Amino acid sequence: MATPEEIEHRVEENDSTTTAKRSAAAKRVGELAQRRAAIAEQLSDVERELGDVLAESNDVIGTDELAKFTDVPVADLDRWLNGRKTTRTKRKKSAPASAAAKTETGQGPPTATAKTSGPTATVPEPAEPRSAPAGADARVPAEVT
């Protein structure tokens, strides 16, 4: 029979090959993920540049004509053109003015209004139970709320 030390040594030997494989797999996945992130960033930069060039040249050549000349699908050209992030300056609005504007246009937050006149809703009374013939199962109506 093996001693506890021999058992521990055997387990460590067996686990060392598994640990090495796991470590190699984790390293490879990490390297590929970093590479992918770098390539994705480059692709994003190229697409942004394509969108800028398309926007700048839009007044002299349209996407349909560019597609004919370049064999690039119109859908791709349109996606790059429309995918550009436009830089807009943010306008400051005063809080009271914007709140008043929203209320006037009906876009403000909904407010609860209390009814002051008109009929009030009534809950109908449950129906009277029918008398059942002797020996028949009597059913009791359930109150629905």
Side-chain angles (χ1 to χ4, degrees), residues 3-60:
T3 66
E5 292 81 22
E6 289 173 337
I7 293 171
E8 185 177 346
H9 180 66
R10 290 176 186 170
V11 169
E12 285 175 4
E13 281 181 3
N14 187 46
D15 286 350
S16 66
T17 57
T18 304
T19 301
K21 289 177 184 178
R22 290 167 40 104
S23 177
K27 286 179 186 177
R28 186 72 177 132
V29 167
E31 290 168 354
L32 290 171
Q34 286 178 347
R35 186 172 152 204
R36 183 200 174 281
I39 292 169
E41 186 176 340
Q42 288 175 347
L43 178 61
S44 178
D45 291 343
V46 169
E47 288 180 347
R48 188 173 17 261
E49 190 174 347
L50 275 163
D52 291 343
V53 170
L54 288 166
E56 291 168 4
S57 62
N58 204 19
D59 58 338
V60 293

Side-chain angles (χ1 to χ4, degrees), residues 80-127:
W80 294 325
L81 177 61
N82 297 330
R84 297 175 55 241
K85 292 182 181 176
T86 57
T87 56
R88 298 181 192 170
T89 57
K90 293 184 180 181
R91 293 185 290 171
K92 286 188 177 182
K93 292 183 180 180
S94 62
S98 66
K102 284 183 181 179
T103 304
E104 289 173 9
T105 60
Q107 294 178 358
T111 57
T113 57
K115 275 190 171 180
T116 56
S117 63
T120 59
T122 57
V123 178
E125 293 293 322

Side-chain angles (χ1 to χ4, degrees), residues 65-73 77:
E65 198 172 14
L66 276 169
K68 275 191 235 175
F69 292 147
T70 62
D71 291 334
V72 176
L77 295 171

